[in-house]
Each structure stands twice: as C-alpha cells, then as structure tokens.
Amino acid sequence: MPPKGSAITPSKFQPPSVSVGHATPESTAGYASRFGPSVAGDFFRTALDGLSLSSIGMGTYLGDCDDAEDRRYVDILGAGLGEGLNVIDTAINYRCQRSERAVGNALAKAVESRGVSRGEIVVCTKAGYVPLDASPPETRDEYKEYLKSEYFDHEIMTSGDLVAGGHCIKPRFLADQIDRSRTNLGIDCIDLFYLHNPEQQLDVLSRTAFLDAIREAFAELERQVTSGRISSYGCATWNGFRVFAANKNYLSLAELHDVAVDVGGTGHHFKAIQLPVNLAMTEAVRLPTQHNGTNNVSLLDNAKELGISVFASASLMQSQLTRDLPPAARSMFARLDSDAQKAIAFVRSLPVASALVGMKSIAHLGENLGAARPVIAAPATRS
C-alpha cells in the first residue's frame, strides 16, 4: 500500500491498474525484432537470462517533486517505449516516490495505447534509502515522525537499523519496499531489483558484519524471486566498484557473488550490478579494482567472468557531458553530431547491458537515440 502520514496526502496517488507478468525472452526478442531495423546492429543486447535489452535505457533520477515533472516523465517514458527503448531504471526514493509512480502511469498508458506488452519492458528499481512520500518533510522533526508512523510503529525496521539516518537493507524493510514499489509501478513482478548503494552500510559496519548483512538481504531477495515478486536482483552502487580494496567503501564483486551462491546455490538470481560509467568516470574499464582469485582485473572483466550483467549509470554525468568535450573525446565517433551522442556512444561501445540516460524532453530522446543510429554502408563505386 502507498505510505501514510507524510507531508503530502498519499490519497493523491492513484495506483495504476496492475500489469501481470514480467519481461520474457520471447517478448523482448519480439520487441527487438520490431525496432531493430531503425537502430545499430548491436543496439539490443542479451542479459538477465536471455532478455533482449535496449543498450540505451531511460533513467528517472533528476527533477523536481511536482506534478509538472511527473507529466514530463510520463510523456518521455511513453515516447521512449514507442521508439525502441525497453529498459526503464528507477528507485523508490527518486523524487519522493514520484519517479516510480510516473513509470507506473507511463507503463499503463503504453500497454493500453502504444501496442507495447508488459513482457517487452524491463523494469528496474532499487531500495535502500528511506523513501519520502510525494514531497520532502519541512523539518527534521517531521521526518522523525514519518519514520515512526511509517516504519518503526509497524516493526518494519528500528531506529538502530538505519545508517546515516536513512539507509537500511534489513530483510523486512526490503520486503516492504518491494511491495510499495510494485504498487507504485503498477506491476506484480519487478524484473530487476537492486540493493541501492549497499556500500553505505560500510560507514558503520565491519567488513564481516557487512557481508553478514548482505547474506541476510540476498536470502530475502531469493525468497522474493520464489514468490514471484521480483525476477532477479543485484547491487546498484556509486563508489563501491570504482575504488580499490583499501577504501572503506570498497565492494568485491567476487565476495558478493560468493554470498549469492551460498544463499541461492548455483541457480542464484544475483544477475546484475550498476555503477557510473562515462567518459569522465572510466574506473570500471581502466582500473584493476577486482580480484578474480588469480589476478587483479577490471570490474567489467570480472563481471563478464562471473556472468553478471553491468548497467552503466550517469552515462552523461547528469548532463555535464552533453557539451564542451575535450578534442580527444570529440574526435571519437566522428559520424555522430553532438557531444551527447558521442558520450553515449562511448558507453555503448563497452560490454554493458544498457547505458542509462536521463531525458528532459522529447527532443533529448531523439538526440540520444541518434547515438545508436544504424551505419549505412556507402554505395559501391563502379570501376
């Protein structure tokens, strides 16, 4: 159910009708076949147990917490689904749950009027940060009352479960967030559910205690897969995979994978990770931050070895890479028209499942798609 007791009356949120099912290999392959002729040959990529994913995904992080921004998101997401983008990335805390709710409305409209089926769309969301409801509380005391009435009183979590005043990965909290996200999104099954910045827990937990917390979280997520509420899970990070092991917030992909095997066996559902990858943040490509048991390797190489899909966030570094690229970067992908297209093309050139991009307008959608336009061969010349 939607949260209660927040600064904005939750009754203003009208959940969309629930779409049954989840993304499937057959349906996403049909989607890829339908849109394939209008994009580059490598545009759709296989990940998450055989799903066909658009290598440009639609992000929903930025924007004001207001109705106008909601409408903008609904319009752009719907247009993207109608233009060959079948990956949507969101989180329950983005824009005080408004982003998830906008995704839900866009999905409902697309299924109803754009000829798109639920099985063709890959919906990804996250939990870890306490989500506000519709707008931020005006005072710290109001936030504390929100935590009490929404979470502590219902024994979803305790104050001691919180890190930095707002981060939690306890099993009962994750189960609660999954149910709230399913309501917001209007779907009965989330295709990919991430722990959101789990490295935040390392601010207070020892490495051993952190891995114990991850084990409890992954065990709950395996139960959520069994119950049909999610299809797969992973970790969406900001710093954890971009730093070396000496850093307090370091994440070892091999350790996370081992935990998944411990709790889920070889058929575990830990399928994906997310981290920033862009022209200015290239750590996943160039730094050997991970250890595969024999050698130090890059995050992308390690993920490939373990069969874990990588989703690139911040592909345009929150619009900073849409202009004024240095000459060396601008010289790449010479056939493309704009810095934004070149920046997206760089991420797409890497072994990632999808480059996630926020889009402020329909014009931005069209420009971003230009980064993946098909290469047309020059006509043969007669001798």
Side-chain angles (χ1 to χ4, degrees):
M1 294 297 292
K4 301 175 182 178
S6 60
I8 299 297
T9 305
S11 60
K12 289 188 176 182
F13 168 57
Q14 299 297 323
S17 57
V18 175
S19 294
V20 177
H22 53 83
T24 67
E26 298 76 16
S27 293
T28 55
Y31 185 94
S33 177
R34 196 158 75 248
F35 290 100
S38 63
V39 291
D42 66 345
F43 184 72
F44 287 97
R45 301 177 180 185
T46 303
L48 304 178
D49 291 334
L51 301 182
S52 297
L53 279 66
S54 59
S55 57
I56 298 176
M58 296 182 284
T60 61
Y61 172 56
L62 296 177
D64 295 329
C65 295
D66 60 32
D67 294 346
E69 195 78 353
D70 294 345
R71 290 190 294 269
R72 184 185 67 79
Y73 265 119
V74 171
D75 290 344
I76 292 172
L77 293 169
L81 291 171
E83 292 288 340
L85 304 183
N86 73 333
V87 176
I88 299 177
D89 181 82
T90 190
I92 192 169
N93 67 303
Y94 286 177
R95 300 176 51 251
C96 300
Q97 301 186 65
R98 284 177 175 266
S99 285
E100 276 195 341
R101 294 167 183 175
V103 170
N105 286 325
L107 286 173
K109 289 184 177 182
V111 169
E112 180 180 347
S113 62
R114 292 182 180 270
V116 176
S117 73
R118 169 66 187 98
E120 295 176 324
I121 305 166
V122 182
V123 182
C124 315
T125 193
K126 319 173 188 73
Y129 292 103
V130 173
L132 305 174
D133 188 8
S135 66
E138 295 183 359
T139 66
R140 184 69 182 176
D141 286 342
E142 189 176 327
Y143 175 62
K144 290 179 179 178
E145 177 55 34
Y146 175 73
L147 288 174
K148 180 179 182 301
S149 63
E150 216 32 57
Y151 293 100
F152 302 158
D153 289 352
H154 298 285
E155 299 182 347
I156 294 168
M157 64 176 173
T158 68
S159 60
D161 294 332
L162 284 174
V163 168
H167 192 269
C168 180
I169 59 170
K170 290 293 186 180
R172 187 162 181 176
F173 176 76
L174 295 175
D176 170 84
Q177 298 296 280
I178 287 171
D179 280 344
R180 293 176 192 240
S181 288
R182 290 165 63 234
T183 297
N184 287 342
L185 294 164
I187 57 178
D188 69 342
C189 181
I190 297 163
D191 298 304
L192 175 57
F193 177 83
Y194 294 108
L195 295 186
H196 199 175
N197 290 354
E199 65 266 39
Q200 181 92 62
Q201 296 285 314
L202 285 163
D203 287 345
V204 299
L205 297 181
S206 68
R207 182 70 51 175
T208 299
F210 171 75
L211 289 175
D212 287 342
I214 291 291
R215 182 170 286 101
E216 291 181 357
F218 281 12
E220 175 60 35
L221 296 180
E222 290 289 347
R223 288 190 288 270
Q224 293 288 322
V225 172
T226 300
S227 71
R229 293 181 174 88
I230 66 175
S231 292
S232 58
Y233 63 91
C235 293
T237 72
W238 188 255
N239 289 321
F241 291 127
R242 297 170 46 234
V243 297
F244 285 100
N247 189 287
K248 179 177 64 174
N249 294 117
Y250 171 77
L251 293 177
S252 163
L253 185 56
E255 284 184 340
L256 295 173
H257 179 265
D258 287 346
V259 172
V261 173
D262 285 346
V263 302
T266 56
H268 65 84
H269 296 85
F270 177 56
K271 300 294 184 181
I273 57 173
Q274 183 183 127
L275 77 160
V277 184
N278 56 55
L279 281 167
M281 304 166 79
T282 58
E283 296 91 346
V285 185
R286 64 181 177 82
L287 295 184
T289 61
Q290 302 295 310
H291 191 72
N292 65 3
T294 305
N295 300 304
N296 292 326
V297 296
S298 72
L299 184 280
L300 288 180
D301 285 342
N302 196 205
K304 182 178 180 180
E305 291 173 350
L306 295 172
I308 296 173
S309 299
V310 178
F311 289 74
S313 63
S315 297
L316 293 177
M317 209 164 73
Q318 298 177 5
S319 298
Q320 294 182 56
L321 298 175
T322 62
R323 59 193 177 278
D324 301 326
L325 290 183
R330 187 169 285 165
S331 67
M332 297 188 297
F333 311 103
R335 70 185 183 87
L336 298 178
D337 301 324
S338 69
D339 284 0
Q341 290 177 354
K342 294 172 189 288
I344 294 170
F346 168 75
V347 182
R348 283 192 64 254
S349 73
L350 303 172
V352 299
S354 194
L356 304 175
V357 184
M359 306 181 193
K360 294 287 288 184
S361 67
I362 299 297
H364 286 160
L365 169 64
E367 181 179 6
N368 294 341
L369 275 169
R373 62 182 179 228
V375 176
I376 300 175
T381 59
R382 294 184 180 182
S383 58

